[in-house]
Amino acid sequence: MTQRRASIIHGYGASPDDHWFGWLAGQLDARGIPASIPLLPNPLGPDPAQWAEVVSADVGTPDENSIVVAHSLGCLTVLRHLRSLTTPWRLGTLVLVSGFVDHLPALPELDTFVADGCDTDGLGNHVDRLTIIRSDADPYVPPAHTDHLAGLLRTSAQVVPGAGHFLASDGVTSLPEVLDAIATSHGVDVARSESAVTLSSLYD
């Protein structure tokens, strides 16, 4: 059986060292699940083709042991990658945090990247465990945008109160809800003693 592995895909203006990404990778590594956080090129001026190339190289053709976690603009990039796959695939766990496929009024500079969004029809049928997470007051991605994406994928969003856009500047440097979503589908031992959201600093 293929070993479980995880890909953590950051968003606009971010890097692998930001927010809760490193925390999550450390939590998964400690539980025997190797986790990668690829650096997406030019994060403050993202090019969809360049991002797609990196995500394709990291995620590849997933299987039931694959875990993909994405944040914000990374969610759109992951969904586009899954849509582009031409061979049969399954994805064990997909967690989308502050995901969207619609234009963001607060970030018109991303209009070209977002363009027509992504055709999500049928994607959820290939995912064994899908979790969509949003906050109740996101200054960049309107909660209705994430709810719209959840509806397209035939699920509903889990709400984390007071988490903003899930940035370190919002005080979110760990995100146990993501670890819980992975544990539910992969039988991961989740010790919550040090997993509480730390209310403590970039953009997305």
Side-chain angles (χ1 to χ4, degrees):
M1 188 169 92
T2 319
Q3 182 185 20
R4 293 173 297 177
R5 65 172 299 271
S7 297
I8 302 168
I9 309 300
H10 69 73
Y12 174 53
S15 79
D17 297 324
D18 291 328
H19 316 314
W20 42 271
F21 311 135
W23 170 86
L24 179 61
Q27 293 288 319
L28 293 174
D29 285 339
R31 292 162 173 80
I33 301 175
S36 59
I37 317 173
L39 174 62
L40 302 179
N42 197 15
L44 283 170
D47 176 85
Q50 292 179 341
W51 277 33
E53 183 177 0
V54 173
V55 169
S56 176
D58 194 78
V59 175
T61 301
D63 61 26
E64 64 274 9
N65 292 302
S66 302
I67 300 164
V68 178
V69 178
H71 178 231
S72 195
L73 195 63
C75 298
L76 178 58
T77 307
V78 164
L79 291 170
R80 286 174 171 171
H81 168 64
L82 296 177
R83 171 53 64 198
S84 75
L85 294 173
T86 57
T87 55
W89 62 277
R90 286 214 71 76
L91 175 51
T93 299
L94 176 61
V95 185
L96 304 176
V97 180
S98 288
F100 62 93
V101 292
D102 303 299
H103 291 274
L104 303 178
L107 296 172
E109 59 268 35
L110 295 181
D111 283 353
T112 300
F113 190 114
V114 176
D116 294 328
C118 178
D119 175 14
T120 60
D121 187 45
L123 289 183
N125 297 334
H126 296 264
V127 179
D128 294 331
R129 169 73 178 184
L130 170 64
T131 302
I132 296 181
I133 296 173
R134 67 165 175 85
S135 75
D136 52 355
D138 189 322
Y140 300 115
V141 179
H145 279 39
T146 304
D147 287 341
H148 178 226
L149 173 60
L152 291 172
L153 294 172
R154 301 183 183 278
T155 188
S156 57
Q158 175 183 344
V159 179
V160 181
H165 192 53
F166 298 92
L167 310 180
S169 59
D170 297 314
V172 182
T173 55
S174 63
L175 197 48
E177 289 82 1
V178 173
L179 194 60
D180 287 350
I182 294 169
T184 300
S185 55
H186 286 266
V188 177
D189 178 27
V190 179
R192 293 293 293 268
S193 59
E194 296 182 339
S195 297
V197 174
T198 305
L199 295 178
S200 97
S201 144
L202 222 171
Y203 197 2
D204 187 321

